[in-house]
mmCIF file of all heavy atoms in Angstrom:
data_model
loop_
_atom_site.group_PDB
_atom_site.id
_atom_site.type_symbol
_atom_site.label_atom_id
_atom_site.label_comp_id
_atom_site.label_asym_id
_atom_site.label_seq_id
_atom_site.Cartn_x
_atom_site.Cartn_y
_atom_site.Cartn_z
ATOM 1 N N LEU A 1271 68.826 154.486 140.068
ATOM 2 C CA LEU A 1271 67.533 154.472 140.852
ATOM 3 C C LEU A 1271 66.783 153.184 140.501
ATOM 4 O O LEU A 1271 66.811 152.753 139.363
ATOM 5 C CB LEU A 1271 66.751 155.655 140.534
ATOM 6 C CG LEU A 1271 67.429 157.000 140.892
ATOM 7 C CD1 LEU A 1271 66.727 158.224 140.141
ATOM 8 C CD2 LEU A 1271 67.343 157.222 142.415
ATOM 9 N N SER A 1272 65.979 152.730 141.501
ATOM 10 C CA SER A 1272 65.076 151.597 141.190
ATOM 11 C C SER A 1272 63.769 151.925 141.894
ATOM 12 O O SER A 1272 63.668 152.866 142.712
ATOM 13 C CB SER A 1272 65.663 150.330 141.738
ATOM 14 O OG SER A 1272 65.927 150.401 143.133
ATOM 15 N N PRO A 1273 62.762 151.160 141.509
ATOM 16 C CA PRO A 1273 61.382 151.477 142.118
ATOM 17 C C PRO A 1273 61.390 151.491 143.634
ATOM 18 O O PRO A 1273 62.058 150.666 144.266
ATOM 19 C CB PRO A 1273 60.494 150.386 141.635
ATOM 20 C CG PRO A 1273 61.221 149.889 140.333
ATOM 21 C CD PRO A 1273 62.654 150.048 140.641
ATOM 22 N N GLY A 1274 60.653 152.417 144.222
ATOM 23 C CA GLY A 1274 60.548 152.579 145.652
ATOM 24 C C GLY A 1274 59.301 151.988 146.215
ATOM 25 O O GLY A 1274 58.510 151.381 145.453
ATOM 26 N N PRO A 1275 59.053 152.217 147.474
ATOM 27 C CA PRO A 1275 57.870 151.657 148.120
ATOM 28 C C PRO A 1275 56.559 152.255 147.565
ATOM 29 O O PRO A 1275 55.482 151.614 147.654
ATOM 30 C CB PRO A 1275 58.042 151.979 149.640
ATOM 31 C CG PRO A 1275 59.065 153.061 149.724
ATOM 32 C CD PRO A 1275 59.938 152.851 148.458
ATOM 33 N N THR A 1276 56.593 153.488 147.108
ATOM 34 C CA THR A 1276 55.388 154.042 146.461
ATOM 35 C C THR A 1276 55.787 154.622 145.111
ATOM 36 O O THR A 1276 56.993 154.779 144.836
ATOM 37 C CB THR A 1276 54.720 155.173 147.302
ATOM 38 O OG1 THR A 1276 55.524 156.397 147.085
ATOM 39 C CG2 THR A 1276 54.674 154.822 148.811
ATOM 40 N N VAL A 1277 54.804 155.036 144.367
ATOM 41 C CA VAL A 1277 55.122 155.614 143.035
ATOM 42 C C VAL A 1277 55.866 156.939 143.127
ATOM 43 O O VAL A 1277 56.618 157.307 142.206
ATOM 44 C CB VAL A 1277 53.806 155.831 142.249
ATOM 45 C CG1 VAL A 1277 52.969 156.910 142.930
ATOM 46 C CG2 VAL A 1277 54.053 156.118 140.773
ATOM 47 N N ALA A 1278 55.905 157.523 144.251
ATOM 48 C CA ALA A 1278 56.602 158.782 144.491
ATOM 49 C C ALA A 1278 58.004 158.668 144.866
ATOM 50 O O ALA A 1278 58.801 159.631 144.769
ATOM 51 C CB ALA A 1278 55.892 159.629 145.584
ATOM 52 N N ASP A 1279 58.440 157.386 145.263
ATOM 53 C CA ASP A 1279 59.707 157.170 145.852
ATOM 54 C C ASP A 1279 60.700 156.364 144.947
ATOM 55 O O ASP A 1279 60.152 155.705 144.028
ATOM 56 C CB ASP A 1279 59.590 156.530 147.180
ATOM 57 C CG ASP A 1279 58.584 157.147 148.064
ATOM 58 O OD1 ASP A 1279 58.514 158.438 148.036
ATOM 59 O OD2 ASP A 1279 57.766 156.416 148.756
ATOM 60 N N ARG A 1280 61.964 156.426 145.304
ATOM 61 C CA ARG A 1280 62.936 155.586 144.584
ATOM 62 C C ARG A 1280 63.877 154.968 145.609
ATOM 63 O O ARG A 1280 64.213 155.614 146.579
ATOM 64 C CB ARG A 1280 63.750 156.333 143.522
ATOM 65 C CG ARG A 1280 62.953 156.986 142.444
ATOM 66 C CD ARG A 1280 62.315 155.907 141.495
ATOM 67 N NE ARG A 1280 61.557 156.540 140.397
ATOM 68 C CZ ARG A 1280 60.290 156.873 140.463
ATOM 69 N NH1 ARG A 1280 59.587 156.611 141.487
ATOM 70 N NH2 ARG A 1280 59.704 157.436 139.445
ATOM 71 N N ASN A 1281 64.331 153.741 145.381
ATOM 72 C CA ASN A 1281 65.378 153.151 146.122
ATOM 73 C C ASN A 1281 66.751 153.445 145.440
ATOM 74 O O ASN A 1281 66.783 153.604 144.245
ATOM 75 C CB ASN A 1281 65.197 151.601 146.231
ATOM 76 C CG ASN A 1281 63.959 151.265 147.070
ATOM 77 O OD1 ASN A 1281 63.601 151.935 147.994
ATOM 78 N ND2 ASN A 1281 63.348 150.108 146.757
ATOM 79 N N PHE A 1282 67.781 153.416 146.282
ATOM 80 C CA PHE A 1282 69.090 153.801 145.789
ATOM 81 C C PHE A 1282 70.178 153.073 146.577
ATOM 82 O O PHE A 1282 70.011 152.830 147.803
ATOM 83 C CB PHE A 1282 69.353 155.290 145.824
ATOM 84 C CG PHE A 1282 70.559 155.812 145.139
ATOM 85 C CD1 PHE A 1282 70.645 155.788 143.751
ATOM 86 C CD2 PHE A 1282 71.693 156.237 145.915
ATOM 87 C CE1 PHE A 1282 71.837 156.193 143.089
ATOM 88 C CE2 PHE A 1282 72.834 156.638 145.213
ATOM 89 C CZ PHE A 1282 72.944 156.670 143.847
ATOM 90 N N GLN A 1283 71.301 152.689 145.918
ATOM 91 C CA GLN A 1283 72.347 152.020 146.627
ATOM 92 C C GLN A 1283 73.643 152.649 146.037
ATOM 93 O O GLN A 1283 74.057 152.450 144.924
ATOM 94 C CB GLN A 1283 72.369 150.520 146.321
ATOM 95 C CG GLN A 1283 73.402 149.764 147.089
ATOM 96 C CD GLN A 1283 73.173 148.195 146.932
ATOM 97 O OE1 GLN A 1283 72.258 147.755 146.247
ATOM 98 N NE2 GLN A 1283 73.996 147.429 147.617
ATOM 99 N N ALA A 1284 74.328 153.446 146.931
ATOM 100 C CA ALA A 1284 75.550 154.134 146.593
ATOM 101 C C ALA A 1284 76.658 153.097 146.443
ATOM 102 O O ALA A 1284 76.896 152.297 147.346
ATOM 103 C CB ALA A 1284 75.903 155.186 147.611
ATOM 104 N N ASP A 1285 77.379 153.099 145.288
ATOM 105 C CA ASP A 1285 78.359 152.109 145.112
ATOM 106 C C ASP A 1285 79.753 152.594 145.502
ATOM 107 O O ASP A 1285 80.638 151.770 145.873
ATOM 108 C CB ASP A 1285 78.378 151.578 143.611
ATOM 109 C CG ASP A 1285 78.530 152.685 142.623
ATOM 110 O OD1 ASP A 1285 78.406 153.920 143.014
ATOM 111 O OD2 ASP A 1285 78.779 152.408 141.432
ATOM 112 N N LEU A 1286 80.046 153.883 145.440
ATOM 113 C CA LEU A 1286 81.316 154.447 145.790
ATOM 114 C C LEU A 1286 81.191 155.480 146.894
ATOM 115 O O LEU A 1286 80.042 156.059 147.119
ATOM 116 C CB LEU A 1286 81.929 155.143 144.550
ATOM 117 C CG LEU A 1286 82.222 154.305 143.365
ATOM 118 C CD1 LEU A 1286 82.699 155.202 142.177
ATOM 119 C CD2 LEU A 1286 83.253 153.287 143.626
ATOM 120 N N ALA A 1287 82.197 155.721 147.603
ATOM 121 C CA ALA A 1287 82.197 156.823 148.624
ATOM 122 C C ALA A 1287 82.006 158.168 147.935
ATOM 123 O O ALA A 1287 82.567 158.358 146.826
ATOM 124 C CB ALA A 1287 83.418 156.816 149.461
ATOM 125 N N GLY A 1288 81.292 159.051 148.526
ATOM 126 C CA GLY A 1288 81.123 160.405 147.983
ATOM 127 C C GLY A 1288 79.714 160.967 148.080
ATOM 128 O O GLY A 1288 78.886 160.352 148.815
ATOM 129 N N THR A 1289 79.447 162.026 147.346
ATOM 130 C CA THR A 1289 78.164 162.729 147.420
ATOM 131 C C THR A 1289 77.286 162.313 146.223
ATOM 132 O O THR A 1289 77.830 162.375 145.080
ATOM 133 C CB THR A 1289 78.365 164.231 147.441
ATOM 134 O OG1 THR A 1289 79.194 164.569 148.597
ATOM 135 C CG2 THR A 1289 77.043 164.964 147.586
ATOM 136 N N TYR A 1290 76.046 162.051 146.400
ATOM 137 C CA TYR A 1290 75.132 161.736 145.323
ATOM 138 C C TYR A 1290 73.912 162.744 145.479
ATOM 139 O O TYR A 1290 73.405 162.957 146.541
ATOM 140 C CB TYR A 1290 74.546 160.355 145.516
ATOM 141 C CG TYR A 1290 75.595 159.247 145.392
ATOM 142 C CD1 TYR A 1290 76.440 158.949 146.432
ATOM 143 C CD2 TYR A 1290 75.741 158.521 144.146
ATOM 144 C CE1 TYR A 1290 77.448 157.982 146.300
ATOM 145 C CE2 TYR A 1290 76.725 157.553 143.992
ATOM 146 C CZ TYR A 1290 77.565 157.264 145.054
ATOM 147 O OH TYR A 1290 78.530 156.301 144.928
ATOM 148 N N THR A 1291 73.598 163.240 144.313
ATOM 149 C CA THR A 1291 72.500 164.189 144.267
ATOM 150 C C THR A 1291 71.345 163.663 143.402
ATOM 151 O O THR A 1291 71.567 163.364 142.235
ATOM 152 C CB THR A 1291 72.876 165.621 143.780
ATOM 153 O OG1 THR A 1291 73.893 166.100 144.725
ATOM 154 C CG2 THR A 1291 71.714 166.572 143.783
ATOM 155 N N ALA A 1292 70.121 163.588 143.910
ATOM 156 C CA ALA A 1292 68.942 163.224 143.166
ATOM 157 C C ALA A 1292 68.062 164.409 142.908
ATOM 158 O O ALA A 1292 67.942 165.367 143.726
ATOM 159 C CB ALA A 1292 68.140 162.123 143.865
ATOM 160 N N ARG A 1293 67.396 164.425 141.721
ATOM 161 C CA ARG A 1293 66.481 165.488 141.350
ATOM 162 C C ARG A 1293 65.087 164.977 141.149
ATOM 163 O O ARG A 1293 64.951 163.906 140.459
ATOM 164 C CB ARG A 1293 67.056 166.186 140.074
ATOM 165 C CG ARG A 1293 66.128 167.228 139.530
ATOM 166 C CD ARG A 1293 66.586 167.817 138.196
ATOM 167 N NE ARG A 1293 67.921 168.593 138.378
ATOM 168 C CZ ARG A 1293 68.710 168.869 137.386
ATOM 169 N NH1 ARG A 1293 68.481 168.563 136.180
ATOM 170 N NH2 ARG A 1293 69.812 169.528 137.679
ATOM 171 N N LEU A 1294 64.088 165.713 141.564
ATOM 172 C CA LEU A 1294 62.746 165.302 141.369
ATOM 173 C C LEU A 1294 62.005 166.453 140.652
ATOM 174 O O LEU A 1294 61.988 167.581 141.101
ATOM 175 C CB LEU A 1294 62.040 165.020 142.720
ATOM 176 C CG LEU A 1294 60.511 164.811 142.636
ATOM 177 C CD1 LEU A 1294 60.167 163.558 141.850
ATOM 178 C CD2 LEU A 1294 59.936 164.753 144.053
ATOM 179 N N VAL A 1295 61.247 166.051 139.591
ATOM 180 C CA VAL A 1295 60.260 166.956 138.979
ATOM 181 C C VAL A 1295 58.942 166.260 138.983
ATOM 182 O O VAL A 1295 58.899 165.031 138.684
ATOM 183 C CB VAL A 1295 60.691 167.338 137.533
ATOM 184 C CG1 VAL A 1295 59.560 168.102 136.836
ATOM 185 C CG2 VAL A 1295 61.953 168.122 137.583
ATOM 186 N N VAL A 1296 57.894 166.973 139.374
ATOM 187 C CA VAL A 1296 56.523 166.291 139.355
ATOM 188 C C VAL A 1296 55.663 167.008 138.325
ATOM 189 O O VAL A 1296 55.844 168.165 137.997
ATOM 190 C CB VAL A 1296 55.861 166.360 140.756
ATOM 191 C CG1 VAL A 1296 56.662 165.520 141.789
ATOM 192 C CG2 VAL A 1296 55.685 167.773 141.261
#
Side-chain angles (χ1 to χ4, degrees):
L1271 298 162
S1272 60
T1276 79
V1277 68
D1279 311 323
R1280 298 294 182 269
N1281 292 329
F1282 189 71
Q1283 186 170 1
D1285 55 348
L1286 299 173
T1289 303
Y1290 296 79
T1291 301
R1293 176 184 290 165
L1294 172 64
V1295 172
V1296 297

